[in-house]
Amino acid sequence: HAADAYRTDLMTITRFVLNEQSKYPESRGDFSILLSHIVLGCKFVCSAVNKAGLAKLIGLAGETNVQGEEQKKLDVLSNEVFVKALVSSGRTCILVSEEDEKATFVEKSNRGRYCVVFDPLDGSSNIDCGVSIGTIFGIYIVKDGGEPALDDVLQPGKNMVAAGYCMYGSSCTLVISTGGGVNGFTLDPSLGEFILTHPDIKIPKKGKIYSVNEGNAKNWDGPTTKYVEKCKFPKDGSSPKSLRYIGSMVADVHRTLLYGGIFLYPADKKSPNGKLRVLYEVFPMSFLMEQAGGQAFTGKQRALDLLPSDIHERSPIFLGSYDDVEEIKALYAAEESM
Ligand code: P6P
């Protein structure tokens, strides 16, 4: 049974992806090589995050990133590690990082077919208090012919070939989809390997949790206000939903994926496009939710249909259990028809 399999028949992420890729006879193993470099980055960040308190890596590096936020040393470190790992894989041609204003175009001699969009350390404002943080990534294949250009990464999320996140918490968990469902792997530090621990994750069709920053309630629009009201004061006699909000997207989304419910970062009067970034927060998490049987909505459309025009563009996002997202879609549709 599972314990024996764990001891003798280790399903590592490398082996798992090789199995997946063997379904595509034309695949040349490039994706597996790319993924092994992403995994290397995650292992490094996991180790650095765990040692942060000891190594005094915590605290401001004094620099600010393109978002104008104070960068913590771990942000800087994580970004550098991922960029170097991805370039050295020889399988990438464009990189977009939350930490870098401009996209990185890999020089010709070391180029591959993949474009990786990533947030190397999302939720970094939580580093100092030990709340789980994470790396989020999405992968596109460069459009045919021609020199790599920005429109190779300004594609709708539905064109991603893979997406995932690595959560640095009580354990280091990597959740990924290559289009055939969602699987979770946990790092065994004694082996230095990610082992399959959450095969074929499916999100419950409906959940009992809503996850939103209620502190923004004053600025919400009508449908969001109505929906949250419904969560707290259900009119159909059902029990109110519980509120769980960690303020670290990877942690909030991971709980939503496993337990069900809905995660919301709505637009508001102050931020008409919400706060979360399309390419490396909204798209990867929406991709995973759909692959796990849930859905993701921007308030106007299916999140993965969105066509971004800027690499750091933001969008409102409502994602999670299929039925819960349906409810907020109905409220926005009703508003549309008024
Ligand atoms: P707020 C963290 O800074 C982050 O980018 C996401 O990880 C998280 O979901 C969101 O911002 C939290 O934002 O405005 O609720 O603090």
Side-chain angles (χ1 to χ4, degrees):
H1 54 66
D4 293 342
Y6 178 79
R7 259 195 290 279
T8 58
D9 184 21
L10 295 177
M11 182 51 83
T12 64
I13 190 166
T14 311
R15 181 179 156 199
F16 186 87
V17 170
L18 280 171
N19 289 353
E20 288 278 294
Q21 294 298 303
S22 63
K23 293 173 196 161
Y24 308 100
E26 75 286 358
S27 84
R28 291 167 286 176
D30 289 340
F31 181 79
S32 304
I33 290 168
L34 170 64
L35 188 82
S36 67
H37 285 77
I38 291 175
V39 165
L40 173 69
C42 293
K43 287 179 185 173
F44 179 91
V45 175
C46 176
S47 158
V49 165
N50 290 342
K51 282 190 294 236
L54 305 171
K56 288 279 169 283
L57 279 174
I58 286 178
L60 304 185
E63 300 162 61
T64 56
N65 66 11
V66 293
Q67 327 298 346
E69 293 158 351
E70 290 283 347
Q71 270 193 320
K72 296 192 179 303
K73 290 176 186 163
L74 272 182
D75 278 351
V76 179
L77 202 65
S78 308
N79 190 46
E80 284 170 13
V81 165
F82 273 107
V83 170
K84 289 191 174 103
L86 289 168
V87 171
S88 66
S89 75
R91 297 316 189 269
T92 62
C93 58
I94 306 177
L95 307 179
V96 171
S97 167
E98 195 260 1
E99 297 293 344
D100 294 328
E101 185 171 359
K102 296 252 181 289
T104 298
F105 288 84
V106 181
E107 35 95 34
K108 211 176 177 74
S109 60
N110 205 16
R111 233 177 244 170
R113 293 181 298 155
Y114 293 103
C115 306
V116 184
V117 295
F118 62 100
D119 186 348
L121 204 55
D122 182 83
S124 52
S125 53
N126 293 297
I127 294 177
D128 290 349
C129 61
V131 162
S132 296
I133 51 182
T135 297
I136 310 172
F137 62 90
I139 302 172
Y140 292 106
I141 290 190
V142 67
K143 290 177 181 164
D144 284 336
E147 272 294 291
L150 268 193
D151 66 0
D152 287 310
V153 287
L154 294 175
Q155 299 189 50
K158 63 189 170 194
N159 293 356
M160 284 186 170
V161 291
Y165 58 81
C166 188
M167 186 172 75
Y168 311 107
S170 48
S171 63
C172 180
T173 306
L174 201 158
V175 173
I176 184 168
S177 172
T178 57
V182 180
N183 290 280
F185 301 80
T186 304
L187 182 64
D188 177 333
S190 65
L191 297 175
E193 286 286 357
F194 280 97
I195 308 293
L196 180 66
T197 47
H198 299 70
D200 196 22
I201 300 175
K202 291 293 174 209
I203 184 170
K205 196 163 178 305
K206 192 164 177 48
K208 300 186 177 66
I209 297 171
Y210 74 104
S211 185
V212 67
N213 182 343
E214 288 259 11
N216 297 330
K218 184 165 68 67
N219 299 317
W220 288 340
D221 63 18
T224 292
T225 304
K226 284 196 193 90
Y227 180 73
V228 172
E229 194 69 10
K230 198 163 173 290
C231 292
K232 294 152 82 164
F233 305 99
K235 297 239 181 325
D236 59 2
S238 58
S239 329
K241 289 189 190 297
S242 292
L243 170 61
R244 294 284 183 276
Y245 192 70
I246 302 164
S248 177
M249 187 184 198
V250 174
D252 280 318
V253 168
H254 189 58
R255 184 209 51 250
T256 304
L257 186 65
L258 297 187
Y259 295 177
I262 185 167
F263 171 81
L264 312 84
Y265 207 109
D268 66 36
K269 291 180 199 118
K270 281 187 317 176
S271 333
N273 287 324
K275 172 183 184 181
L276 299 179
R277 308 287 180 170
V278 170
L279 278 188
Y280 41 78
E281 290 174 321
V282 171
F283 279 170
M285 296 315 204
S286 301
F287 186 96
L288 290 169
M289 280 298 161
E290 288 200 1
Q291 286 290 318
Q295 59 175 326
F297 176 61
T298 67
K300 292 195 174 65
Q301 63 185 99
R302 176 192 177 218
L304 292 182
D305 286 343
L306 193 63
L307 179 62
S309 51
D310 174 87
I311 59 173
H312 296 299
E313 188 171 310
R314 302 170 194 261
S315 169
I317 184 68
F318 307 88
L319 56 78
S321 293
Y322 193 89
D323 292 356
D324 293 324
V325 177
E326 275 302 289
E327 285 185 24
I328 198 149
K329 279 168 70 174
L331 289 166
Y332 272 96
E335 161 123 334
E336 275 295 296
S337 60
M338 274 158 69

